[in-house]
Amino acid sequence: MSQQTQKLRLNALIALVVGSMIGGGIFSLPQNIAEQAAGGAVLIGWSITAVGMLALAFVFQTLANRKPELDSGVYAYARAGFGDYMGFSSAWGYWISAWLGNVGYFVLLFSTLGYFFPVFGQGNTPVAIGCASLLLWGVHFLVLRGIKEAAFINQLTTIAKIVPIVMFIVIAAVAFKADIFTRDLWGRGTPDLGSVMDQVRNMMLVTVFVFIGIEGASVYSGRAEKRSDVGKATVIGFLGVLALLVLVNVLSLGIMTQPELANLQNPSMAGVLKHVVGEWGAILISIGLVISLLGALLSWALLCAEILFATSRDKTMPAFLKKENANHVPVNALWLTNVMIQIFLIITLVSASTYTSLIRLASSMILVPYLWSAAYSVLLCVRGETYSHASRRRIKDLVVGAVALSYAFWLLYAAGPKYLLLSALLYAPGVLLFAKAKREQGEPLFKHWEKLIFAAVLFTALSAAYGLYSGALTL
């Protein structure tokens, strides 16, 4: 096969972006959002998300075009602009977010099966976690045998995702009732939701989780047939997924009231469709999601390992993570990833953590890579690097980058102290791998200003650890 035919065209890149973003999150979106906000706040929240995420999509488009040599993923932008530790932290956070998402997928999978087998409950019962662990290591040894891609599985999971979602949107649009949507538009009948601003802030991390993968094309930018297609794929994929997400969320609020949606078991799309058409609607959504998640677990298991493998090749991570077995699978990276997933499955059992808690934590971990990517875009504009005579374009990109950066800071605020503390607790241990990578290169661990950053991370992590120990902080 020639080098050219191995390159990814625009449609393939769009599929990567859409496939990365549409996972299990959209199937639980009605309950996840209704738990945090009423209809009016939902519209405001999605408006903020649309502007912020679109700006972020344009940032990835700009960086892909202006820095084509940085094709190792989003963490490369942090490393190029702000040093090795920031680059490592972005890679570390991106990896943790990926496998935490997988933990959430396991919980959602068995929560879905709980519809048919009550013993699985919300996906966090002892039986559910035991079965999830068996499935985890089954997938692990399957991947070790070299099963990286399977066209049939990919086609099946794509159909399993798209068909139920499209059917849901069509049926929900017919069943939508404006009087239900506007009945308690601002959530005044549910004081626990708080003010409209509280509702908007609380729904933010859910919207971030369903958009994780917006950077999917940039991860594969080195394999793009045309460099310009990377940015196009990011924006086109984002707009398509945004439309699906908003339709699923808003239409649901016109079928069931906010309190009713908030009390649904996930996947809540099944409960909404059951409310409209009866039992077969719930079965359709549930079966489609189970097939989709089984395929996603296989592909994301390898993706998580590939993140560590790729970063070890450019010496951001230690060399031992480059090790491959005879089937060219990054064996050490895969073991490390799945051991961490197993640990958090056990934590999920002990702390009775729900799918919503896991996706909020996964979302908070992705904020650092997104923030540094936006900051790097602004930095290029301020320096004028790669712009030379394109002053108008430079101003435009500066405005877009500033919007994306403001949105990233808004997300940090929206995450709240709980998830920022928990994030720091997960970021801090990464310094051990960073130190090993630096030692292998014979370089000092930190630059002067990096010491201050790590000191802040360590202090926050210790505060989180004390909070967990004292019971003031829970997952």
Side-chain angles (χ1 to χ4, degrees), residues 72-123:
S72 301
V74 292
Y75 81 92
Y77 302 135
R79 186 183 188 190
F82 306 99
D84 291 344
Y85 182 60
M86 287 300 96
F88 171 86
S89 295
S90 288
W92 180 254
Y94 190 69
W95 172 68
I96 291 178
S97 178
W99 62 254
L100 271 177
N102 249 14
V103 177
Y105 279 172
F106 276 111
V107 173
L108 179 58
L109 172 62
F110 284 93
S111 175
T112 305
L113 291 174
Y115 181 83
F116 304 100
F117 309 102
V119 70
F120 293 133
Q122 294 287 332

Side-chain angles (χ1 to χ4, degrees), residues 293-313:
L293 286 175
L294 287 173
L297 287 171
L298 182 61
S299 58
W300 274 87
L302 186 65
L303 176 63
C304 292
E306 285 290 337
I307 293 169
L308 292 181
F309 179 66
T311 50
S312 67
R313 283 187 301 180

Side-chain angles (χ1 to χ4, degrees), residues 177-200:
K177 291 181 173 59
D179 62 312
I180 294 178
F181 183 83
T182 59
R183 185 170 299 171
D184 186 18
L185 192 61
W186 303 108
R188 293 189 179 93
T190 312
D192 290 344
L193 291 177
S195 67
V196 173
M197 179 57 72
D198 288 337
Q199 294 175 50
V200 171

